[in-house]
Amino acid sequence: MSNPLQQTIEALAKEKGIEPDVVISAIEEAVATASRKYYKTGENLKTRFNTETGQVDLFALKTVVEEVTTPATEISINEAREMYRPLYGDEVANSIELGDEMEFPKPTEVLGRIAAQTAKQVIFQKVREAEREHVFAEYNDRIGEVVNGTVKRFENGDIILEIGRIEAVLPRKEQSRAESYTPGDRVRTVIKGVNRSAKGPQIVLSRTDPALLIKLFEQEVPEIYDGTVMIRGAVREAGDRAKVAVMSRERDVDPVGACVGMKGTRVQSIIRELRGEKIDIVEWSEDSIAFVTNALSPAKVQRVSIVDDRDRVMEVIVEDKQLSLAIGKKGQNVRLAAKLTGWRIDIKSEEEKRREVEAQFGELEVPAAESTDSDASADVSADVSADLSAEARGESSAKVEAGGEPAAKAEADSDSASAKGEESETPAKAHAAEAAVPYTLPGIGEKTVRKLVDGGFATLEAVTAATAEMLSEVPGIGEKTAEKILAAVRGEEAPAESDS
């Protein structure tokens, strides 16, 4: 029949989730500690819990030696045999040998209140350590698992939740800013970590970790649970937006459709659990360009090019009206796409890319024009390049053989160089010079207008609809002149050109 102390030990062990032997060991160590403080004799004291009587027996251990040097811990072999012979007989007494340990009972009733208080503290400490070790062993293997908890209280912004019989903490940094709770609310969280030695709750929970999103999809989508559809990556900005990359192991199963569900029922359930967080489900691909294109959803991408494969940099071109959608609110869409794909993404609109290309061509043309104006005698190579470019366009009027100015001099003002060109123009150009021009432009000379007409811009409407890049392709008209022409067409103020 168990005694009251034994029953108390079993109840405490059940409440704390530990073994009764752990509590008994704590009691024995507590009594031994209290006894050492009380007796202060230097003896080797040992305790043993008696399950029959419910008492903790105290003993002083002494080692059997030939000659005693430390009376507190040693006893001679002759004295030990003489002590045992009257009690247990000659056979037991003669069996004592050197090195044996003998137990000498000591009373525990005299320990007093101070010793009892010391024992109590030791017991509490040992039980608490055993409980924390048990929690660590149980939950350390469950990191990444989704658990349900109940909000118990709030501490400096952190939320203390009760998971079964154990308290866990949901730190402020792991809380979604779109969520708020009151005591008693049930919350679904993911176990992020378990602390072995921390004070307070050991289990750290999270509502912002991507693992929570992955586990919710596993619970809601059977195809993910059975492995038909795999989640290859997930990124979140908790409370705002998330992106999930999925792939299918079977050709007949659409991974995105399986996650969305009929009429969006599956993904809507997850969105409700995350308090309205938007979720983009994209298809994963081994092709990096295709994966980045999918990851920028819902924006539509025109083209993607790899800028630096080693540093994983990509350039993405989108339509002008899609630029804000591709970047997202405060860069959120492209930031999540970059995290999901592992590539650094540089997004540009078509207009921005066109201006960048024009600027690069302009940087190439300016040095050529400056070289032509400074040294006309060194234009042989420029003439050859102008001749080649004219042949490629089918413009025979710009060839070097025709005696005209080389195309490389297009950046210089065309009218200021017309004196040299007039002397060697072909008969066809001379006939065009005699004919009246079909239209005039303020600040633009007739020579330039004739070149526009010869280049295919026979009407003012054609010039109005053209771009600077199109006009600069006309032989003898450079980028700067083209910009002056467009300025004149738009009615903007432009420097007047001399018609010499």
Side-chain angles (χ1 to χ4, degrees), residues 333-473:
N333 190 58
V334 66
R335 186 165 57 250
L336 288 174
K339 290 181 182 178
L340 184 65
T341 60
W343 286 80
R344 190 160 65 88
I345 302 175
D346 184 12
I347 295 184
K348 297 179 181 178
S349 65
E350 289 184 327
E351 178 64 22
E352 184 181 354
K353 183 63 176 177
R354 186 183 66 80
R355 289 198 300 267
E356 183 180 315
V357 173
E358 288 179 356
Q360 291 176 352
F361 278 115
E363 292 175 359
L364 295 175
E365 291 177 356
V366 168
E370 292 176 352
S371 174
T372 304
D373 291 337
S374 62
D375 190 4
S377 63
D379 284 344
V380 177
S381 61
D383 292 343
V384 174
S385 63
D387 185 27
L388 293 175
S389 61
E391 284 181 358
R393 296 193 302 267
E395 299 289 340
S396 61
S397 61
K399 291 183 179 180
V400 177
E401 292 86 343
E405 288 295 306
K409 300 175 68 174
E411 282 300 314
D413 185 78
S414 60
D415 289 333
S416 65
S418 61
K420 293 176 66 179
E422 278 183 308
E423 296 176 0
S424 58
E425 284 186 352
T426 61
K429 286 192 175 182
H431 178 73
E434 294 174 359
V437 293
Y439 56 87
T440 59
L441 295 172
I444 304 299
E446 286 186 5
K447 292 289 185 181
T448 306
V449 175
R450 286 194 186 96
K451 292 176 182 178
L452 290 174
V453 174
D454 294 341
F457 298 92
T459 63
L460 189 60
E461 290 77 7
V463 179
T464 305
T467 63
E469 185 179 358
M470 297 168 61
L471 294 178
S472 62
E473 292 180 357

Side-chain angles (χ1 to χ4, degrees), residues 100-121:
D100 290 347
E101 287 188 340
M102 300 183 65
E103 296 179 348
F104 296 89
K106 296 183 75 69
T108 57
E109 296 82 1
V110 297
L111 295 180
R113 181 180 60 84
I114 301 300
Q117 187 69 21
T118 302
K120 178 182 177 182
Q121 292 175 356

